[in-house]
């Protein structure tokens, strides 16, 4: 399928361009922290509960909190109805997201506790694990849970032989490779890296750099959304 024409992608983007990203902070009253992210045609809600006593008890860690990220796709989020409930894919994404976020949250401050982060995919258009992690980080910051930094995330990939940033659905479906990545921006430490497809070593190096650059741009958008929400609270007081 022709995904690149005259140096432009199907939606008119250049190779290193992100889709439009909009982040709203603190959108849910009952959660301790929350964020809603629109990223291209993706729509994702993240909600944080805790730190709270961990149940069941046998999952407690007396040295630190356990962060559980629960990634869920709504039945109406994809073209073919998604059967409700967990499947192999959502269990995998929950696991890698929990691990990525555990690198930044200061878990040792809350022994025996659970921090639950719910990521609800309301509309999916490729890259939802990156969108979910982005939303989850902002929701954790909104909850005021101590963190060393946020996690910023973005995928790159190969489409019609070109390395491009932030694949949308058509590019994900008909492209050659997808490389989701998440990073702790201040340390430039990678906390998630997956690859679906094939790349040569040189292509990998380029795609890796492109995904890091993209994640750094996402980081700025995350910070701006948080700053805006803090300023709005001050004005409202
Ligand atoms: O969303 P992400 O790219 O992180 O994960 P993926 O497994 O590579 O899925 C790519 C896209 O396929 C998703 O964003 C959805 O748009 C779509 N998908 C779907 O249509 N039905 C599913 N059961 C799972 C994914």
């Amino acid at each position: 399928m022709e995904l690149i024409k005259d140096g432009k992608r199907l939606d008119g983007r250049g190779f290193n361009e992100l889709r439009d990203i909009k982040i709203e902070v603190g959108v849910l009253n009952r959660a301790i922290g929350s964020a809603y992210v629109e990223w291209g045609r993706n729509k994702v809600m993240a909600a944080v509960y805790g730190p709270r006593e961990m149940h069941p008890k046998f999952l407690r860690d007396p040295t630190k909190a356990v962060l559980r990220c629960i990634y869920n796709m709504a039945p109406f989020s994809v073209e073919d109805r998604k059967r409700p409930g967990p499947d192999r894919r959502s269990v995998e994404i929950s696991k890698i997201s929990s691990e990525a976020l555990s690198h930044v949250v200061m878990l040792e401050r809350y022994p025996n506790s659970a921090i639950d982060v719910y990521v609800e995919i309301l509309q999916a258009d490729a890259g939802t694990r990156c969108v979910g992690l982005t939303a989850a980080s902002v929701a954790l910051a909104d909850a005021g849970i101590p963190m060393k930094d946020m996690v910023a995330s973005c995928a790159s990939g190969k489409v019609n032989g070109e390395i491009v940033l932030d694949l949308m659905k058509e590019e994900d479906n008909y492209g050659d490779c997808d490389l989701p990545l998440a990073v702790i921006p201040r340390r430039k430490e990678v906390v998630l890296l997956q690859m679906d497809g094939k790349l040569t070593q040189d292509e990998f190096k380029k795609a890796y750099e492109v995904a890091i650059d993209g994640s750094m741009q996402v980081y700025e958008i995350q910070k701006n959304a948080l700053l805006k929400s803090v300023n709005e609270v001050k004005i409202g007081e």
Side-chain angles (χ1 to χ4, degrees), residues 130-176:
C130 301
V131 183
L133 269 174
T134 301
S137 296
V138 175
L140 280 163
D142 179 48
I145 294 176
M147 293 157 86
K148 294 171 202 149
D149 194 0
M150 281 191 285
V151 167
S153 180
C154 188
S156 65
K158 185 176 160 190
V159 169
N160 287 176
E162 302 282 353
I163 302 298
V164 299
L165 180 67
D166 188 20
L167 276 60
M168 59 181 194
K169 185 85 176 80
E170 292 82 353
E171 295 173 328
D172 186 278
N173 280 8
Y174 306 108
D176 311 315

Side-chain angles (χ1 to χ4, degrees), residues 49-50 91 94 130 162 224:
Y49 292 84
V91 170
S94 299
C130 301
E162 302 282 353
N224 285 338

Side-chain angles (χ1 to χ4, degrees), residues 118-129:
Y118 294 91
V119 169
E120 298 289 329
I121 310 298
L122 305 174
Q123 189 169 291
D125 194 74
T128 57
R129 71 196 64 205

Side-chain angles (χ1 to χ4, degrees), residues 31-73:
I32 304 211
S34 59
Y36 171 66
V37 178
E38 285 186 5
W39 180 323
R41 283 174 295 194
N42 289 304
K43 296 186 179 181
V44 174
M45 184 73 83
V48 172
Y49 292 84
R52 57 188 176 185
E53 217 169 63
M54 167 65 102
H55 290 287
K57 265 189 176 173
F58 71 87
L59 290 178
R60 285 183 189 170
D61 183 334
T63 65
K64 59 178 166 50
V66 176
L67 188 151
R68 298 182 290 195
C69 183
I70 301 104
Y71 170 102
N72 181 53
M73 267 189 149

